[in-house]
């Protein structure tokens, strides 16, 4: 899947205020992901390569000694990612993360400038990043698929206590944008990611949604190894 914003996405982004042009224009210019190398064809990526320290620190949930490591690459404007967050992740947390069987993290893989903006806002929430991600996914239809998405995003995050000045400062943080872009480019080039969500389970790559009914069968073999 190309990361170049669709025509509809570009038209929606024309509603941006001047304050956000600096923040989002670089992503629009670089939205085409680098071509993946030979790793794209691989069904498995060495765990030590996946675990190399990213430009922004991973936020891990679960026991560091858990036998199963799950890394999810997600885009904040991805409907499949939002559905996973709402329907599947709570089951993983209850049955696997909270029981010490799985440790999990989500990394940014924005598919368009608006997704990058939402990822930046989640990072600007500090230790509330995970709560912001959950909230933005839950509210996705109210800001991601509207005529003026940035204004809708501003109003949405107001509900979390983030004011307009914080909002603008976050979206104009070029260093933060660059780091999110680096995470995305590394994932595309080295891990062959072209779509979201994409999961790595102990290094094994799986693209697309994971139905709740498939969880036990998917994770059980890793617990036996």
């Amino acid at each position: 899947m190309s990361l170049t914003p669709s025509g509809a996405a570009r038209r929606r982004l024309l509603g941006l205020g001047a304050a956000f042009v600096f923040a989002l224009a670089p992503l629009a210019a670089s939205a085409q992901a680098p071509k993946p190398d030979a790793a794209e064809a691989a069904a498995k990526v060495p765990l030590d390569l996946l675990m190399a320290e990213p430009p922004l620190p991973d936020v891990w949930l679960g026991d560091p000694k858990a036998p199963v490591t799950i890394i999810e690459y997600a885009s904040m404007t991805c409907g499949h990612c939002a559905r996973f967050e709402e329907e599947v992740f709570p089951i993983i947390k209850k049955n696997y993360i909270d029981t010490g069987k799985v440790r999990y993290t989500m990394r940014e893989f924005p598919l368009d400038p608006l997704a990058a903006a939402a990822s930046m806002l989640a990072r600007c929430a500090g230790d509330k990043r995970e709560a912001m991600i959950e909230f933005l996914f839950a509210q996705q239809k109210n800001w991601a698929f509207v005529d003026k998405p940035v204004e809708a995003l501003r109003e949405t995050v107001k509900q979390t206590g983030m004011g307009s000045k914080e909002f603008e400062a976050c979206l104009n943080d070029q260093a933060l944008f660059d780091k999110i872009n680096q995470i995305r480019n590394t994932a595309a080039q080295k891990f062959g990611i072209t779509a979201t969500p994409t999961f790595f389970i102990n290094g094994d790559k799986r693209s697309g949604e994971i139905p709740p009914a498939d969880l036990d069968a998917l994770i059980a073999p890793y617990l036996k190894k």
Side-chain angles (χ1 to χ4, degrees):
M1 174 187 289
S2 169
L3 300 192
T4 303
S6 66
R10 289 182 184 277
R11 287 192 292 274
R12 288 200 304 272
L13 290 170
L14 291 176
L16 296 177
F20 307 113
V21 172
F22 172 75
L24 296 188
L27 182 61
S30 62
Q32 180 66 47
K35 292 183 179 180
D37 59 22
E40 181 179 16
K44 187 176 183 70
V45 174
L47 198 55
D48 59 345
L49 183 60
L50 279 168
M51 298 297 290
E53 185 176 356
L56 292 169
D58 286 324
V59 179
W60 289 99
L61 300 177
D63 188 342
K65 297 181 180 179
V68 181
T69 296
I70 297 178
I71 299 173
E72 177 191 4
Y73 283 88
S75 173
M76 296 303 300
T77 53
C78 163
H80 298 291
C81 301
R83 187 156 53 243
F84 172 82
E85 176 73 21
E86 179 182 359
E87 298 178 3
V88 185
F89 181 73
I91 300 173
I92 293 177
K93 187 174 188 305
K94 178 181 177 181
N95 294 348
Y96 295 99
I97 296 175
D98 293 347
T99 58
K101 298 174 182 177
V102 164
R103 66 169 177 163
Y104 161 92
T105 192
M106 192 202 90
R107 292 178 181 167
E108 296 90 347
F109 194 84
L111 294 175
D112 53 65
L114 187 61
S119 292
M120 292 170 73
L121 292 168
R123 286 287 182 173
C124 288
D127 60 4
K128 296 181 180 178
R129 173 185 179 252
E130 303 311 292
M132 179 69 88
I133 287 172
E134 180 180 356
F135 177 70
L136 288 176
F137 271 139
Q139 296 291 318
Q140 189 187 70
K141 66 180 181 180
N142 296 324
W143 60 268
F145 311 116
V146 296
D147 290 336
K148 296 182 179 180
V150 174
E151 288 305 313
L153 186 56
R154 184 208 299 264
E155 292 303 311
T156 299
V157 299
K158 272 186 181 180
Q159 299 177 53
T160 71
M162 181 179 287
S164 291
K165 288 184 178 180
E166 295 172 281
F167 180 84
E168 293 183 20
C170 182
L171 293 194
N172 281 284
D173 186 339
Q174 183 67 39
L176 176 58
F177 160 78
D178 288 342
K179 290 176 181 178
I180 287 175
N181 203 32
Q182 287 172 35
I183 292 172
R184 185 199 63 171
N185 288 347
T186 296
Q189 288 179 306
K190 294 187 176 181
F191 310 148
I193 297 177
T194 58
T196 58
T198 292
F199 303 89
F200 289 94
I201 305 173
N202 283 6
D204 291 330
K205 182 179 176 183
R206 179 186 173 112
S207 298
E209 291 187 71
I210 300 175
D214 292 355
L215 278 175
D216 290 342
L218 181 64
I219 296 177
Y222 297 97
L223 296 173
K224 296 177 181 179
K225 292 178 181 179

